Amino acid sequence: MQQEVIIVGGGMVGLSLALMLAKTNIAVKLLEAIKYPNYDDENLAPYHSSFDARNSALSRRSVQIYQELGLWNALQEHATPILEVNITEQGSFGKARLKAEQEKVESFGQVIENAWLGRVLLTQVKKEPLIELIDGVQVTSLTQDTDFAYIEAHRGESELKLQSKLVIAADGRDSFCRKALGIGASEHDYDQVAIVTTVQTSKPHGHVGFERFSHLGPLALLPLPGEYRRSVVWPVKKGTEGEWLGEENDQHFLDALQETYGDRAGKFQKTGKRFSFSLSQVLAEKQAVGRVVLMGNAAHTIHPVAGQGFNLCMRDAHVLVRYLKEQQAQGSDLGDAAILLDYEKSRLSDQQRVIKFCDSVVRGFSNQNPFLKLMRNTGLVAFDTIPGIKPLVANYAMGLKA
């Protein structure tokens, strides 16, 4: 009898994981709280709560995973490779540069708008006979015993009662499943809000990504499809976001970008609608309890400063599927608690390294103490000049040394 896995949460991680499992011949029931949009126009990708205005910088490892799933050709149409990364601090001497050609790689990764990533994933999920997709469903209870995990939910007027040997909770930062199981989580509020949008510049992006640390916050400018389109992610102090949002502030926002970046991108000519997202770090105290395993932001939500959050989740998912594939090949229980704990243990090193790095960058570059400013700029110069450092950092950033 084929075992069926229940995934709670149909965002980018949940959809990707469902496709990985189906490719391994494991049946999936995928539950998503929000109704998905209708994709009537093939040239549009409407926003969904999980596929919004944000962008994802897919690492080379994430690209490889989508290649294994046979999805990369469809995704590539909406993605742009990063061939160079420049890291600088406004008003300081330190700078560092990574070039794909020098590191002998095709690219450092690919930037894709989440709305398009979500559309491609959802379209493929709907074609997959091993995946049953149920959207607009609210989970109200999650319990488990030695044999099964049990879910109660409602969809409109209908009540659902489901059971499975394994439940994967990918239901976001404020995970209902995590709370239902009594799993605690540590939370750190960065007191920042990320301003996210797309801009048009007078100079072509040349497939170069910029990370510019400013007194307002760490500003990321990444290339998008279209020679002059770039994505902006700008974490600013919470409470100041009002001055950046709304059409009436378009020019004010463009002027601030110009002042922060100078003429590297030419003139900032046009901005799209800006959206804001609060930033915090949320780390679950456990990621596997009995027959339930946490995945995605339910397990670890981190700061977007280095674009590592989604890529870390993809590596988690890929490793979990490898464990489940071995269980299935042996005809063993997919929800075996010992196996899930082994999975969790196997991922801690990679997770802790990425979490610590992202948190350190945010804290380190947020402090305007002159001595610390000197130290970090000296560090950028050292990174740019000392042999052997760039390949090591590049491999970690690309997800190839997890």
Side-chain angles (χ1 to χ4, degrees):
M1 180 178 177
Q2 187 175 50
Q3 297 184 64
E4 181 182 67
V5 172
I6 295 176
I7 299 177
V8 180
M12 299 189 302
V13 174
L15 291 171
S16 299
L17 178 56
L19 290 168
M20 292 182 211
L21 289 169
K23 189 175 181 63
T24 312
N25 202 35
I26 295 175
V28 178
K29 196 180 294 291
L30 181 60
L31 311 181
E32 165 58 24
I34 309 299
K35 291 286 291 183
Y36 288 114
N38 292 319
Y39 294 127
D40 298 324
D41 188 333
E42 64 180 16
N43 297 312
L44 296 176
Y47 289 157
H48 174 265
S49 63
S50 298
F51 327 133
D52 48 38
R54 287 172 283 191
N55 305 274
S56 292
L58 302 178
S59 69
R60 283 177 58 81
R61 185 69 189 104
S62 294
V63 169
Q64 289 171 358
I65 292 171
Y66 284 127
Q67 288 172 335
E68 293 170 10
L69 291 172
L71 283 178
W72 185 244
N73 286 342
L75 291 171
Q76 179 70 83
E77 296 179 25
H78 309 288
T80 301
I82 303 174
L83 303 181
E84 183 177 324
V85 178
N86 289 341
I87 307 168
T88 59
E89 181 169 8
Q90 186 179 14
S92 300
F93 63 88
K95 62 180 179 179
R97 178 180 296 175
L98 280 168
K99 292 187 176 183
E101 183 180 16
Q102 292 178 354
E103 303 307 322
K104 297 179 173 58
V105 294
E106 177 189 355
S107 71
F108 291 120
Q110 302 266 347
V111 184
I112 186 168
E113 292 166 90
N114 287 0
W116 279 110
L117 176 55
R119 174 172 179 150
V120 171
L121 292 174
L122 183 58
T123 300
Q124 187 62 32
V125 161
K126 289 182 175 180
K127 295 178 181 177
E128 177 52 63
L130 285 176
I131 302 175
E132 181 184 357
L133 182 63
I134 308 174
D135 62 355
V137 59
Q138 299 292 325
V139 175
T140 57
S141 174
L142 170 60
T143 57
Q144 58 180 325
D145 57 27
T146 56
D147 297 316
F148 290 96
Y150 305 92
I151 285 178
E152 294 182 7
H154 62 82
R155 190 188 196 203
E157 299 299 319
S158 301
E159 296 293 327
L160 301 177
K161 290 189 176 183
L162 309 170
Q163 67 180 44
S164 174
K165 290 290 187 180
L166 172 63
V167 168
I168 302 173
D171 53 341
R173 179 176 66 178
D174 299 317
S175 170
F176 170 86
C177 293
R178 187 182 67 220
K179 296 172 184 175
L181 293 173
I183 301 175
S186 63
E187 181 168 357
H188 173 72
D189 188 339
Y190 286 106
D191 196 33
Q192 291 180 334
V193 172
I195 305 299
V196 176
T197 191
T198 300
V199 297
Q200 180 176 307
T201 58
S202 62
K203 287 184 180 180
H205 55 61
H207 301 285
V208 178
F210 289 95
E211 186 78 45
R212 179 79 161 163
F213 293 95
S214 74
H215 67 281
L216 292 175
L219 174 56
L221 197 67
L222 298 175
L224 286 174
E227 198 175 359
Y228 300 93
R229 292 179 68 238
R230 307 174 193 237
S231 79
V232 173
V233 181
W234 199 349
V236 299
K237 185 174 179 55
K238 187 179 292 184
T240 67
E241 64 268 22
E243 66 177 286
W244 309 110
L245 305 176
E247 291 183 12
E248 69 278 9
N249 288 320
D250 281 4
Q251 192 57 51
H252 174 54
F253 180 73
L254 290 170
D255 290 344
L257 283 175
Q258 198 76 62
E259 180 183 354
T260 301
Y261 263 92
D263 62 358
R264 295 170 184 79
K267 182 174 177 57
F268 287 88
Q269 299 175 319
K270 188 177 180 181
T271 175
K273 182 178 179 180
R274 270 92 59 213
F275 299 83
S276 63
F277 303 90
S278 61
L279 300 178
S280 61
Q281 180 191 85
V282 182
L283 306 177
E285 294 174 357
K286 300 177 182 178
Q287 296 177 43
V289 175
R291 295 184 170 277
V292 182
V293 61
L294 304 184
M295 188 63 54
N297 284 341
H300 42 69
T301 301
I302 63 178
H303 197 284
V305 65
Q308 290 299 305
F310 180 64
N311 295 305
L312 180 61
C313 295
M314 286 291 286
R315 297 200 294 276
D316 289 343
H318 196 259
V319 172
L320 177 62
V321 171
R322 190 178 71 221
Y323 273 83
L324 298 180
K325 182 178 180 180
E326 292 174 359
Q327 284 294 95
Q328 180 187 239
Q330 297 167 7
S332 301
D333 184 353
L334 294 182
D336 185 300
I339 293 299
L340 299 182
L341 287 173
D342 282 347
Y343 152 75
E344 178 183 17
K345 185 177 179 180
S346 74
R347 293 300 302 142
L348 289 179
S349 177
D350 185 23
Q351 291 173 1
Q352 291 169 357
R353 174 182 55 79
V354 171
I355 291 166
K356 183 177 180 180
F357 171 74
C358 293
D359 186 60
S360 297
V361 169
V362 176
R363 294 174 188 268
F365 278 89
S366 296
N367 195 314
Q368 297 302 308
N369 179 285
F371 177 73
L372 290 178
K373 202 168 185 178
L374 173 64
M375 291 298 292
R376 62 183 178 243
N377 277 272
T378 302
L380 285 176
V381 172
F383 171 83
D384 205 46
T385 56
I386 297 176
I389 295 181
K390 286 185 180 181
L392 180 65
V393 173
N395 277 333
Y396 274 123
M398 291 184 289
L400 301 179
K401 291 291 185 181

